[in-house]
Amino acid sequence: MNTEKTLILVKPDGVRRGLIGEVISRIEAKGYNIDAIRMLKADRTLLEQHYAEHIGKGFYEALVEFMMSGPIVAIVASGNRVIEGFRSLSGVTDPTLAAPGTIRGDLARDQGTKVVQNIVHGSDSPESAAREIHIFFP
Ligand code: DAT
Ligand code: MG
């Protein structure tokens, strides 16, 4: 047993569209545990930490503005290989290319905006997960 944890976010587009329950259902249906949930409105300082790797990219400011545009839901989920597993449930970044059956593939599409809006975030490595969980659940 080497139970892993990941940080999942339901982004403002997901909350606005009433998809909190849908995302949680998919996490639970896959068999992962929900360890913590928190609804919040993220501020710039928090998002600068969370998206530090993207600072300086062309879409960064639009990303921060989008993530501040409404409440988000932060979730810690756990289970063996949950980091990889939730990325697989999410589908790839671009919702047009995300496979049907995935959260992004089923529930999101290209909105023509400067930043891609794709319903969820999931940590991409154990290091990112530890860092991101600490940001949202200090
Ligand atoms: P992911 O969320 O799949 O891990 P990421 O970490 O590379 O993707 O980027 C964070 C978010 O920023 C992503 O969910 C949507 C947006 N984004 C990424 N690349 C983008 C791009 N080239 N143009 C516009 N938005 C982008
Ligand atoms: Mg990422």
Side-chain angles (χ1 to χ4, degrees):
M1 280 275 284
N2 51 357
T3 297
E4 206 172 64
K5 290 183 191 292
T6 193
L7 189 276
I8 295 165
L9 300 176
V10 183
K11 298 180 181 182
D13 56 336
V15 174
R16 271 194 287 273
R17 290 182 47 210
L19 297 172
I20 299 169
E22 175 74 29
V23 171
I24 291 172
S25 290
R26 288 180 185 225
I27 298 166
E28 290 187 323
K30 184 74 175 175
Y32 298 125
N33 288 325
I34 306 280
D35 293 351
I37 298 190
R38 176 185 168 211
M39 190 161 196
L40 69 149
K41 261 201 96 173
D43 62 19
R44 187 172 290 274
T45 308
L46 185 147
L47 292 166
E48 270 173 15
Q49 293 176 56
H50 177 65
Y51 282 127
E53 68 177 301
H54 297 305
I55 292 174
K57 294 184 184 170
F59 62 86
Y60 176 74
E61 182 56 28
L63 175 60
V64 170
E65 291 290 336
F66 164 59
M67 291 298 290
M68 293 193 302
S69 69
I72 62 175
V73 175
I75 298 165
V76 178
S78 65
N80 292 330
R81 300 176 68 195
V82 66
I83 295 172
E84 205 183 346
F86 184 74
R87 299 277 292 186
S88 173
L89 286 183
S90 296
V92 298
T93 307
D94 181 346
T96 300
L97 301 180
T102 65
I103 293 169
R104 290 164 170 176
D106 287 349
L107 305 172
R109 67 174 176 85
D110 196 320
Q111 301 285 339
T113 46
K114 186 161 185 180
V115 70
V116 172
Q117 302 186 11
N118 53 17
I119 313 282
V120 286
H121 165 84
S123 307
D124 63 9
S125 68
E127 297 71 28
S128 301
R131 193 179 66 78
E132 294 170 2
I133 289 169
H134 185 71
I135 292 169
F136 285 90
F137 296 90

